[in-house]
Amino acid sequence: MLALSRREALKRACVTIVAAPLLAACGASGSATTSATSTSAAASVAPSTSASSATPSSIASSSAVSSAPASSSAASSSTAASAATSAASSSSAVVATQRVGSGKTALSIAVWDDTVRTWHELYAQKYAQAHPDVTLDIVKIPYADMAQKQLTELAAGTLQDISFAGVKWLDYTAFRGGFRALDDLVKEHNFDMGDFFPSAITGCSLDGKLYALPFETNSGNVDLIYVNTDLLNTRGVTPPTDDWTIDDFMTIAHKMTDPGHQQWGTDYSTGSYYDFGTLARTFGGDILSADTKKFTLENDPNTVKAAEWLVNLRTKDHVAPLANEAKGVGFTTGNVALSGQCICSLPYTKKDVNNKFKFDLILFPKGPTGMRGYEAFATTFAMFVETKQPEAAFDLLTFMTSKDTATWAMVNQGQPPARKSVWMGPEAAKISPAYAKLAAWMSDGVNKGPFPMPYNLRFTELENMYEKQSPPVWQGTVALQGGLQQMQSLADAIMAEPRS
């Protein structure tokens, strides 16, 4: 039997795993579409738009938004044929939304189509304008579409030279042969990797090879506690410091809870398995085994303790609202004392609070073993394996992930950077001292941080299971032990599947 060509194999593979990601942490906004969005001719580069002008709707929820369910690996041949046809027709419709320059070196880049974080497009334009030898095609694609779009374009051989990729689907596209390993280029150009968080570079790598460079790294969706200090003062409660513990958190939450007046100690929740994983790490456990081949929700004693704590927030302790009590409850409304959010929420929270009350940002409390878990969520730029211009593409990639680019994006559009020097720099300090605190935490070499990607890369299936099964457990409507056992059983079946 003749072997399939790599491209034909990719076409058939598109049906086996639907890689449409969840709308993720830190600004994954914009309506989902099935084709690249058209734009007008090149706009001016690097305008003086401030982060405070961002629309609140662009903020990502701390709860994960459901994605399309993952396709079964046992998809029928007729479905596979249909998917391949759809992939080819969809990718053929992807054209450059704008072309900048007229040089001999032809490059293309897929950028994030977002109404707030327009810096992708702006800095791609800036690169082309600074390199007259380059003709740069810029394609705008919404975050919510990108995972599936990459697979369909890859199957048709139309993937851009450089593409943005979330940590949730980067590895799968790399596994499918879509991205070029960058190790040789990094070595050849003596490119300094030391400014990136090691845990983020782990998320950019698969099987020991580097496939991307990050432009964003953050601790996660709910690992920074926003503290309504004015509300605490009304009850004579001393605001916490970064040295606080889980016990301190609960003490304050109890003091600040008054259900009769719709006032709550906290709104903390974990809308995704990787958010829960950060809590498990805080308690000394984890959501995946060290080799990432096993899901450890129900069989790691410390992870079970984290689950018990999470359930008790809404049941035994009742310091967080149940689903039927949550209407009208929110940090920016002023009736939540301790809110689990991310640094990317800060510009929008400032705008929504609008000086109604004072608040502070405190690191998530230390767990029983002194640990603080985080997830090192990263968003990246990667290179198409079939690029005809690897040297020029690498130059574009490093420009888009440079310190100068990251600084502008953070200051003007609230983009969490990937470089430690930007997190700890003077521009970040002017925004909030929380940046430096988070950077120190994520680079201390003690606390766990890599994004919990399963070895078999079946992120979407695992996440869909968690989103469906976990809410009634955390709300206390399903018994904890039985709920954990059910999730563990379903996860075991997913984790037993091979990479494919």
Side-chain angles (χ1 to χ4, degrees):
M1 180 177 178
L2 294 176
L4 293 173
S5 69
R6 187 177 67 84
R7 187 164 295 162
E8 182 59 30
L10 287 167
K11 286 182 179 180
R12 297 190 182 187
C14 283
V15 72
T16 61
I17 294 183
V18 175
L22 305 173
L23 290 175
C26 298
S29 62
S31 59
T33 61
T34 57
S35 63
T37 304
S38 296
T39 62
S40 59
S44 60
V45 174
S48 58
T49 306
S50 70
S52 62
S53 66
T55 55
S57 62
S58 295
I59 186 171
S61 169
S62 61
S63 297
V65 179
S66 296
S67 65
S71 300
S72 167
S73 59
S76 67
S77 58
S78 62
T79 304
S82 174
T85 301
S86 174
S89 62
S90 173
S91 59
S92 66
V94 176
V95 295
T97 58
Q98 113 180 218
R99 176 166 289 176
V100 183
S102 57
K104 293 181 180 180
T105 302
L107 290 175
S108 58
I109 184 170
V111 300
W112 193 341
D113 185 8
D114 185 80
T115 58
V116 175
R117 292 185 185 158
T118 59
W119 70 267
H120 273 210
E121 180 181 13
L122 297 177
Y123 270 78
Q125 293 169 353
K126 186 174 183 178
Y127 178 86
Q129 292 163 3
H131 294 77
D133 58 320
V134 167
T135 296
L136 183 61
D137 286 349
I138 303 171
V139 180
K140 295 171 64 176
I141 301 175
Y143 184 99
D145 292 353
M146 191 54 167
Q148 187 62 51
K149 182 68 69 177
Q150 280 183 347
L151 292 181
T152 56
E153 290 184 6
L154 178 58
T158 59
L159 194 62
Q160 293 74 34
D161 294 296
I162 299 295
S163 300
F164 77 87
V167 70
K168 299 175 180 181
W169 72 86
L170 169 69
D171 283 356
Y172 186 71
T173 305
F175 168 70
R176 279 291 165 197
F179 292 141
R180 185 191 192 281
L182 302 177
D183 305 84
D184 61 328
L185 291 168
V186 167
K187 183 178 180 180
E188 176 187 340
H189 291 272
N190 196 26
F191 182 75
D192 184 9
M193 298 287 292
D195 200 21
F196 296 113
F197 292 98
S199 54
I201 296 303
T202 298
C204 293
S205 305
L206 177 66
D207 298 336
K209 294 183 178 181
L210 178 71
Y211 284 98
L213 294 179
F215 64 79
E216 170 186 7
T217 306
N218 66 71
S219 62
N221 288 325
V222 291
D223 302 310
L224 187 62
I225 301 299
Y226 285 55
V227 181
N228 185 331
T229 52
D230 279 358
L231 191 59
L232 265 63
N233 289 336
T234 64
R235 296 208 170 191
V237 177
T238 302
T241 67
D242 292 314
D243 290 329
W244 67 331
T245 66
I246 285 288
D247 289 341
D248 298 327
F249 180 100
M250 294 305 300
T251 297
I252 294 173
H254 275 290
K255 291 180 179 179
M256 298 308 301
T257 297
D258 184 356
H261 291 87
Q262 206 178 30
Q263 180 177 306
W264 297 95
T266 187
D267 61 359
Y268 183 84
S269 63
T270 61
S272 64
Y273 84 82
Y274 49 94
D275 287 339
F276 178 78
T278 67
L279 182 64
R281 290 169 175 176
T282 296
F283 275 77
D286 213 327
I287 197 65
L288 295 180
S289 59
D291 62 5
T292 70
K293 294 182 178 181
K294 296 184 182 300
F295 197 71
T296 55
L297 175 64
E298 192 260 341
N299 49 29
D300 183 320
N302 289 327
T303 300
V304 172
K305 291 178 182 178
E308 292 171 345
W309 183 84
L310 183 59
V311 171
N312 286 342
L313 289 180
R314 287 170 174 77
T315 56
K316 179 181 177 181
D317 294 292
H318 201 202
V319 294
L322 291 163
N324 62 358
E325 300 169 315
K327 185 177 181 180
V329 175
F331 184 76
T332 59
T333 305
N335 53 8
V336 173
L338 308 173
S339 180
Q341 299 186 40
C342 64
I343 190 65
C344 54
S345 303
L346 183 56
Y348 315 108
T349 300
K350 283 182 177 179
K351 182 175 181 179
D352 288 353
V353 170
N354 194 25
N355 297 318
K356 288 183 294 187
F357 58 84
K358 294 179 182 179
F359 66 93
D360 198 4
L361 308 183
I362 303 297
L363 298 181
F364 195 80
K366 296 178 182 178
T369 64
M371 298 289 288
R372 282 191 177 105
Y374 70 98
E375 66 197 38
F377 188 92
T379 319
T380 74
F381 280 109
M383 186 185 300
F384 183 28
V385 70
E386 293 183 4
T387 181
K388 296 178 181 179
Q389 305 284 353
E391 293 288 338
F394 187 69
D395 191 57
L396 172 59
L397 190 157
T398 55
F399 175 82
M400 296 297 289
T401 58
S402 69
K403 180 178 179 179
D404 288 346
T405 303
T407 301
W408 190 93
M410 175 190 68
V411 171
N412 292 278
Q413 298 187 349
Q415 173 70 67
R419 290 179 170 271
K420 291 182 285 186
S421 61
V422 182
W423 279 86
M424 296 180 172
E427 294 86 358
K430 292 176 185 177
I431 299 171
S432 172
Y435 275 96
K437 295 190 296 184
L438 284 165
W441 170 24
M442 290 191 291
S443 57
D444 65 9
V446 176
N447 291 285
K448 297 180 180 181
F451 186 84
M453 174 61 68
Y455 175 82
N456 64 3
L457 310 182
R458 293 178 179 270
F459 163 85
T460 302
E461 294 166 82
L462 203 58
E463 179 57 28
N464 287 341
M465 179 281 294
Y466 182 92
E467 289 185 33
K468 182 178 180 180
Q469 299 292 329
S470 68
V473 179
W474 307 145
Q475 290 284 322
T477 57
V478 170
L480 177 61
Q481 183 176 359
L484 295 184
Q485 289 175 346
Q486 172 71 358
M487 284 192 281
Q488 184 67 54
S489 177
L490 293 170
D492 286 344
I494 294 169
M495 300 293 283
E497 293 291 325
R499 290 181 179 179
S500 63

